[in-house]
Amino acid sequence: MSDSIRKQGFKPGTAIKIQRAIARVITKLLMINGKSRWGNEFIQAIDKTTYFKNPINQEKTLKVFAGHGRLHWRYRETPRLEWETNNWIKNFNEGAVFYDIGSNVGVYSLIAAQEKRTETISFEIDTINSSIQHRNIHMNKLQDRILLLTTGLSDRSSIRNIYYK
């Protein structure tokens, strides 16, 4: 990935900042904060899923959990941000084995398993990302093709501390 693309990242524009401000006002006015029964019911009623076209085959769609703006951006920008990875997956033989190491929320595992019908072994050590990926796998009914392992990989066996921001 080029440095210019890497530096872009998710930067909310003015429209998103305005939407967030309006959302904050609405949540305060309607007491949608999870601290009351009303707020809890309202939050649970919101569907936090989104859909994106499989960059390998635009006729196929993937359903994914997008509980916040960065995830939504990541799904939408997958075809543009890592086109090299998409092209690499496009050249897989159907039924190949794909090791997705550091799979994050499993975007490439989903793409490969859906379009190329790969047997995918997905490694993600972060428990939050793993739980989102697990949800994404099941929403797309790909649990028979993707094995999610919540572990890190190294060149030797060890026990290490993991530090999160």
Side-chain angles (χ1 to χ4, degrees):
M1 183 182 340
S2 71
D3 285 338
S4 63
I5 291 175
R6 189 183 323 264
K7 289 178 185 175
Q8 288 176 1
F10 176 70
K11 295 178 183 152
T14 304
I16 291 174
K17 289 177 182 177
I18 291 169
Q19 290 169 349
R20 287 181 179 171
I22 292 169
R24 281 193 294 275
V25 169
I26 291 171
T27 56
K28 280 192 178 209
L29 288 174
L30 297 178
M31 296 180 292
I32 306 169
N33 56 12
K35 294 178 183 176
S36 68
R37 178 66 184 200
W38 157 254
N40 186 54
E41 291 299 323
F42 194 87
I43 289 168
Q44 288 182 35
I46 296 172
D47 184 5
K48 296 181 181 183
T49 57
T50 191
Y51 300 84
F52 76 98
K53 296 283 185 189
N54 187 321
I56 307 300
N57 180 348
Q58 293 287 307
E59 293 178 11
K60 293 185 179 178
T61 302
L62 287 158
K63 181 178 180 181
V64 289
F65 175 77
H68 55 79
R70 175 142 175 74
L71 270 179
H72 187 268
W73 170 84
R74 174 77 171 126
Y75 298 132
R76 295 284 177 209
E77 294 298 319
T78 291
R80 186 181 67 79
L81 288 177
E82 296 193 32
W83 57 269
E84 302 100 332
T85 305
N86 292 316
N87 284 338
W88 178 56
I89 292 170
K90 186 185 263 183
N91 291 311
F92 286 0
N93 292 324
E94 191 167 305
V97 177
F98 173 40
Y99 295 92
D100 191 355
I101 300 168
S103 57
N104 195 268
V105 295
V107 173
Y108 296 104
S109 292
L110 295 170
I111 290 168
Q114 183 190 58
E115 176 55 23
K116 290 299 191 171
R117 301 183 61 81
T118 63
E119 297 297 322
T120 301
I121 303 172
S122 186
F123 297 89
E124 178 53 53
I125 198 166
D126 183 291
T127 54
I128 293 171
N129 288 341
S130 294
S131 67
I132 293 170
Q133 185 175 168
H134 183 264
R135 189 172 180 173
N136 289 342
I137 291 166
H138 284 273
M139 283 194 296
N140 290 283
K141 297 178 177 38
L142 293 170
Q143 59 271 20
D144 62 329
R145 292 195 199 125
I146 301 173
L147 172 63
L148 173 59
L149 300 174
T150 54
T151 187
L153 295 180
S154 177
D155 59 346
R156 63 183 179 274
S157 295
S158 64
I159 296 175
R160 307 237 178 122
N161 290 328
I162 299 172
Y163 301 94
Y164 295 99
K165 289 184 182 179

